[in-house]
Amino acid sequence: MAGYIVRRLLQAIPVLLGTTFLIYFMVFAMPGDPIVALFGEKTPPPQVLEQVRERYNLDQPFIVQYLLFLGGIFRGDFGISFSGQPVSNILAATFPVTLRLALLAIFIEMVAGITIGLISGLRKGGIFDASALVVSLILISLPVFVVAFVAQFIFGIQLGWFRTTVGTGAPMQDLILPAIVLATISFAQITRLTRASVIETDTQDFVRTAASKGLSRRRIVPVHILRNSLIPVVTYLAVDFGVLMVGATVTEGIFNVPGVGRTLYQAIIRGEGPTVVSFVTVMVLIYLVINLLVDLLYAVLDPRIRYAK
């Protein structure tokens, strides 16, 4: 196991270098001067432009710029935004909010999706199964902004159960409704994925053997069926968590959540290159760590999986 972890960490190095290089290239090596664009219609003196370029190392060759950026990342220095604020401070303010939102959404979709998918798979062809498939298909078909506006109107305005926008500091109670909105589409996917995996696992020989040995259905379902059915679900949840961490832009915008997605979108609109590059780099690191943890979790869920030396 230790050797496998070391190999995965070594494999992550070229992935990190390649993705950060592409990100930096797409942001800073494209035609146009981001510093000139920063001043809008104004024309600053050449001396001011030169000072700003020097401050952000934009007066250096591209490869030197990238190496300086990469060195700063390894030192924990994410640079300074064009507004003069350290990017690490922006990350510190927005990352915990999105992390809480993503964890809450993952919890909701995991509990609801796995539970309904398990019952649906065990009762294949029944009324519950048919209803779950219809509901999941409807949720998958709906755009997230439609679900968000409907949820705001019904649960926020009509019923008054939740606030329609997130307040200062993003308290947990204000994140429940946007988390439910984020969880709806993924919940539908997890339900269908769990159902298909449960149906397939229920026909395996080891399940029949367990039943022939006299084990009760109450013992077989959680230990033999559910446990072995969770591998594809865990894979989806891991990918979905990374997506939620960076892809909740629409939901964060509708509910005014001061998180990573909304901040990243605003940085792109304003042409804040250092902020965009640093935020996306952090997302790449999150993906790499999550994928490693998921691979290790496979061996826990299915003891048949062994990592070759």
Side-chain angles (χ1 to χ4, degrees), residues 73-289:
I73 292 296
F74 285 116
R75 295 193 307 270
D77 180 12
F78 293 94
I80 301 176
S81 67
F82 288 158
S83 60
Q85 186 177 5
V87 177
S88 57
N89 291 352
I90 302 176
L91 273 170
T94 59
F95 185 83
V97 176
T98 299
L99 180 62
R100 283 187 283 131
L101 178 62
L103 289 175
L104 187 57
I106 285 289
F107 175 78
I108 294 172
E109 67 190 45
M110 180 177 63
V111 173
I114 292 176
T115 302
I116 296 178
L118 175 63
I119 298 175
S120 182
L122 294 176
R123 299 179 179 180
K124 177 185 176 182
I127 297 177
F128 185 91
D129 180 34
S131 302
L133 289 176
V134 170
V135 172
S136 63
L137 184 60
I138 293 174
L139 292 177
I140 292 174
S141 304
L142 290 175
V144 67
F145 65 87
V146 173
V147 179
F149 286 128
V150 170
Q152 276 185 326
F153 179 74
I154 295 177
F155 299 106
I157 298 176
Q158 294 292 326
L159 299 177
W161 292 354
F162 304 99
R163 293 183 55 177
T164 55
T165 58
V166 176
T168 304
M172 186 61 74
Q173 62 268 22
D174 287 358
L175 295 177
I176 294 177
L177 188 57
I180 293 174
V181 171
L182 281 175
T184 51
I185 297 177
S186 297
F187 149 77
Q189 296 282 9
I190 291 173
T191 298
R192 298 170 71 89
L193 192 59
T194 304
R195 174 187 178 275
S197 187
V198 166
I199 292 174
E200 180 182 0
T201 305
D202 198 17
T203 60
Q204 297 297 314
D205 292 338
F206 63 86
V207 176
R208 297 195 190 97
T209 301
S212 65
K213 289 182 177 180
L215 292 179
S216 65
R217 192 66 174 172
R218 184 173 299 179
R219 172 72 176 175
I220 293 174
V221 170
V223 176
H224 297 280
I225 297 179
L226 179 59
R227 182 174 178 178
N228 289 280
S229 300
L230 285 180
I231 290 181
V233 178
V234 168
T235 303
Y236 180 84
L237 285 171
V239 175
D240 189 48
F241 180 74
V243 171
L244 290 176
M245 286 299 300
V246 70
T249 307
V250 175
T251 305
E252 288 188 357
I254 293 175
F255 288 94
N256 197 34
V257 180
V260 171
R262 194 185 69 164
T263 304
L264 181 59
Y265 173 75
Q266 293 174 346
I268 294 173
I269 296 299
R270 294 194 300 263
E272 289 272 0
T275 305
V276 174
V277 171
S278 298
F279 268 55
V280 178
T281 299
V282 172
M283 296 304 107
V284 171
L285 290 172
I286 291 175
Y287 267 109
L288 292 176
V289 172

Side-chain angles (χ1 to χ4, degrees), residues 43-101:
T43 305
Q47 297 84 355
V48 175
L49 289 175
E50 190 62 30
Q51 289 176 359
V52 177
R53 289 194 184 97
E54 184 177 354
R55 182 183 185 185
Y56 293 100
N57 300 316
L58 297 179
D59 58 333
Q60 302 289 338
F62 171 76
I63 190 63
V64 176
Q65 296 178 36
Y66 171 70
L67 292 177
L68 290 173
F69 162 76
L70 197 62
I73 292 296
F74 285 116
R75 295 193 307 270
D77 180 12
F78 293 94
I80 301 176
S81 67
F82 288 158
S83 60
Q85 186 177 5
V87 177
S88 57
N89 291 352
I90 302 176
L91 273 170
T94 59
F95 185 83
V97 176
T98 299
L99 180 62
R100 283 187 283 131
L101 178 62

